[in-house]
Amino acid sequence: MLSVFLLGISIHDSSGIEEKNNVYIGCTVTSAPYVSRNFTSFSCKVRDSDFNRIKNRKITVYLRGENRDVFIGSSVSFLGKIRKRDRGIVAYPYRGFINIDNSKNILYPVYFLKKKMMKNYSENTLNENRFNLGLALVFGEKGYIKEEKENFINAGTSHLLAISGMHVGIILMIILFLLGFKKRLSYYTAGVFLIIYPFFTGLHTPVIRASMLGLLYVISKIKYLKISSLNLLFFVAFFILIFSPDSLFSVSFQLSFVAVFGLILYSGLISTDLRNRAYRFIHSSFFMSVVAVLFTTPVILYYFGKFSLTTVIATPLLVLILFPYLFLSVLNLMTFFSIPVLIKGMDLAGGIFLKLNSFFGQLNFVHAGYNPDSFSVVFFILLLSGIAVLKMNNYLKICVSSILFFVFLTVSAVRPDYRIYVFKGKKLPDYLVITPYGECIYSKKTYKIKAVLDKNRCRYSGKQIEISDVKVIKEKDRIKVKIKNKTFVLKNSEYIVHPVLEK
């Protein structure tokens, strides 16, 4: 209840703020920056401004180009323009009118060390593609994965790029294995590493949550405590929502929470008593992938409308390569990326990882056009949870769940038909028409329209007025869309995205 209450407080009313230029803002960075070559973005809490309505509020700031001087806790002052976007406010500093101060940032020494390690890595890497992979898998910076991004989407392995519970779990296993000759030392070392590791990966919510789970596990081993995995999961989720209530709406939070929830419920299937370690590892990896796919796909379909059949096979195979890759990454972190042989060994494993992923990506078994509602997503996850707690054979459970999964896919599939979306514009609404033939027409290619285009995987047809049987007529204060002998009127809706079916 407290988390929901704080969530309500965190959602501010931005009405009346459309766009304003030449605004002075002084703020403190509150999120890990997303860094790429084209732009850098981060959340910032406004301390001072000549526009009083945004004081003490969180805004999103977009800087042009790559900027590695911004961290959590940095003080940023700039002159720029602001505008409303969805429920929040976005700021765009003018080039040359920004100042970044880290003199009072207590976390700056950690970030300075991270920058130093990244520099050492860049000087000894084999090539740019493998360096970019390392930025994603070791330092949590996915903004540089460009050329390979489509392959990860087509292979259904994008989740492997996000440092989350699986990565932290593998690293924890590696540390416990390396120091297995002295268990208590291994637990203490793992605990220290889990405290520091989130800072080097950008303090992203999935890493914090996974590190907290791992740390609590380590403490339970040191103190000889019996723990409940489900209790730990819900405690960590509650803790995160206390300090960041809006994480509840984060796709990564929802996916990671649901995935771990499913793995805990099906732990009896994943944990096996096979004597052969190789068979046991393959068995666990495969069924971990299957369970994760069953629980996360409904959420993925709800947000992205796409599903790749290769993910069930590609994920366990790529995880096999992730083990040596992350093993070497731990050694590199411990040696500050100063030993070229370890860096090149990690890059060689990264090259195999990219080639295998490219193979699955080029199979292009991606299916799009799914549109389940929130009720069906929640109902299906609850149904899977109910099956998991039944007293029956674990393999039978997974078979029944898989059959229901394909039923869910069938029900969630959208039949080929014309679909019309309207986006609130300043004067006229921005529109998007999707035809059964995969062609799309749109008025403005905003980021919202891009998301719907990508979700439907339709062919980009630009601003053409006539495609197939569709004709768009612009009038003074509205837009008419004629589809065959039907006419739809697009009004300037108050909703950001709204399917329109108004004759």
Side-chain angles (χ1 to χ4, degrees):
M1 289 298 293
L2 180 59
S3 297
V4 175
F5 174 71
L6 292 174
L7 178 63
I9 294 176
S10 70
I11 300 175
H12 299 286
D13 178 20
S14 303
S15 58
I17 302 175
E18 291 297 336
E19 186 169 331
K20 190 173 177 63
N21 297 320
N22 303 320
V23 179
Y24 166 75
I25 294 175
C27 63
T28 302
V29 179
T30 59
S31 73
Y34 176 88
V35 184
S36 69
R37 291 187 180 86
N38 298 323
F39 70 92
T40 302
S41 65
F42 52 89
S43 296
C44 215
K45 186 172 183 180
V46 179
R47 304 185 317 272
D48 186 27
S49 177
D50 56 2
F51 186 49
N52 291 327
R53 297 187 62 180
I54 64 172
K55 283 185 178 180
N56 299 315
R57 298 177 67 170
K58 280 189 179 181
I59 62 173
T60 302
V61 181
Y62 281 89
L63 304 179
R64 291 181 182 177
E66 178 185 78
N67 193 311
R68 295 201 172 277
D69 294 323
V70 182
F71 314 104
I72 293 178
S74 299
S75 294
V76 180
S77 303
F78 60 88
L79 186 70
K81 65 179 181 179
I82 62 172
R83 71 181 185 189
K84 178 184 174 183
R85 190 175 78 180
D86 295 346
R87 293 189 302 265
I89 301 168
V90 181
Y92 301 90
Y94 299 140
R95 189 183 294 272
F97 290 86
I98 183 169
N99 179 62
I100 301 167
D101 182 14
N102 284 297
S103 59
K104 296 181 180 179
N105 189 350
I106 60 175
L107 298 176
Y108 183 71
V110 178
Y111 299 132
F112 179 80
L113 180 59
K114 176 182 175 180
K115 285 176 64 177
K116 179 66 175 175
M117 287 193 292
M118 291 173 66
K119 182 180 178 183
N120 291 342
Y121 182 21
S122 66
E123 291 173 352
N124 293 283
T125 188
L126 291 176
N127 60 51
E128 187 178 5
N129 283 344
R130 299 180 193 189
F131 175 67
N132 292 339
L133 180 68
L135 289 180
L137 292 178
V138 181
F139 296 102
E141 298 196 3
K142 298 185 294 181
Y144 296 87
I145 297 289
K146 295 293 183 183
E147 296 178 6
E148 297 290 335
K149 189 175 181 180
E150 191 66 23
N151 282 332
F152 280 98
I153 294 172
N154 291 339
T157 53
S158 298
H159 58 284
L160 295 180
L161 290 176
I163 300 177
S164 57
M166 183 182 65
H167 299 75
V168 174
I170 291 174
I171 291 172
L172 180 60
M173 289 172 60
I174 290 170
I175 295 174
L176 296 179
F177 172 77
L178 287 174
L179 301 174
F181 58 90
K182 200 165 185 179
K183 281 194 173 183
R184 292 192 72 81
L185 176 62
S186 68
Y187 291 141
Y188 282 114
T189 304
V192 172
F193 190 88
L194 289 172
I195 292 172
I196 299 174
Y197 186 63
F199 293 98
F200 286 99
T201 56
L203 282 175
H204 296 291
T205 301
V207 187
I208 295 173
R209 187 204 63 259
S211 297
M212 284 183 63
L213 278 171
L215 187 60
L216 290 172
Y217 168 80
V218 167
I219 292 172
S220 72
K221 291 297 182 181
I222 294 173
K223 296 293 184 179
Y224 302 103
L225 301 174
K226 289 185 178 181
I227 58 172
S228 166
S229 300
L230 277 177
N231 287 345
L232 276 183
L233 177 64
F234 282 99
F235 170 77
V236 171
F238 175 78
F239 184 83
I240 290 173
L241 292 177
I242 284 290
F243 291 95
S244 179
D246 51 352
S247 294
L248 188 63
F249 294 107
S250 166
V251 180
S252 63
F253 176 84
Q254 294 173 13
L255 285 173
S256 55
F257 180 84
V258 168
V260 176
F261 179 69
L263 292 173
I264 291 173
L265 290 180
Y266 281 87
S267 58
L269 174 67
I270 297 167
S271 303
T272 180
D273 56 357
L274 292 172
R275 292 185 178 181
N276 188 299
R277 288 189 176 184
Y279 290 154
R280 185 165 67 239
F281 177 76
I282 294 171
H283 177 280
S284 298
S285 299
F286 175 75
F287 282 105
M288 278 178 64
S289 301
V290 172
V291 172
V293 167
L294 289 176
F295 276 82
T296 58
T297 298
V299 182
I300 292 172
L301 295 183
Y302 178 78
Y303 286 105
F304 306 110
K306 295 181 292 186
F307 170 71
S308 177
L309 290 171
T310 56
T311 184
V312 179
I313 304 299
T315 298
L317 289 177
L318 289 172
V319 167
L320 290 174
I321 303 169
L322 265 185
F323 264 89
Y325 186 92
L326 293 178
F327 175 81
L328 291 169
S329 76
V330 170
L331 296 180
N332 279 314
L333 286 170
M334 290 179 173
T335 56
F336 306 110
F337 279 84
S338 59
I339 302 177
V341 174
L342 292 178
I343 295 173
K344 288 178 171 58
M346 190 181 81
D347 275 357
L348 286 173
I352 298 171
F353 182 90
L354 288 174
K355 286 181 180 178
L356 185 58
N357 182 75
S358 178
F359 167 75
F360 285 108
Q362 289 171 7
L363 295 177
N364 201 15
F365 287 157
V366 181
H367 295 264
Y370 296 96
N371 192 26
D373 56 35
S374 56
F375 174 79
S376 60
V377 170
V378 173
F379 177 77
F380 179 70
I381 293 174
L382 290 176
L383 189 62
L384 291 181
S385 305
I387 294 171
V389 299
L390 291 176
K391 291 183 179 180
M392 56 190 295
N393 183 277
N394 286 321
Y395 295 103
L396 182 58
K397 288 180 185 178
I398 206 71
C399 288
V400 173
S401 298
S402 299
I403 292 170
L404 291 175
F405 172 74
F406 285 103
V407 172
F408 177 82
L409 288 177
T410 304
V411 173
S412 302
V414 178
R415 294 183 179 87
D417 198 1
Y418 291 100
R419 277 167 287 151
I420 308 169
Y421 297 83
V422 60
F423 300 75
K424 189 176 189 297
K426 292 180 180 179
K427 295 181 180 179
L428 287 174
D430 300 329
Y431 60 86
L432 168 63
V433 181
I434 298 174
T435 76
Y437 321 110
E439 300 162 324
C440 300
I441 56 174
Y442 45 87
S443 56
K444 292 182 180 179
K445 198 174 177 181
T446 65
Y447 77 98
K448 299 184 187 73
I449 291 180
K450 279 183 181 179
V452 180
L453 286 168
D454 187 56
K455 182 175 181 178
N456 289 274
R457 288 185 71 83
C458 53
R459 294 188 293 274
Y460 292 70
S461 298
K463 297 180 181 179
Q464 299 179 34
I465 298 301
E466 285 194 47
I467 296 180
S468 304
D469 300 315
V470 182
K471 187 174 183 181
V472 179
I473 304 170
K474 295 183 180 180
E475 296 184 350
K476 186 176 180 180
D477 59 348
R478 62 182 183 177
I479 292 173
K480 287 184 178 179
V481 179
K482 288 187 176 181
I483 301 176
K484 295 182 179 179
N485 58 349
K486 295 181 180 179
T487 300
F488 300 88
V489 179
L490 306 191
K491 297 182 179 179
N492 205 8
S493 172
E494 290 300 320
Y495 298 100
I496 299 299
V497 182
H498 181 59
V500 176
L501 296 172
E502 300 179 10
K503 288 188 179 181

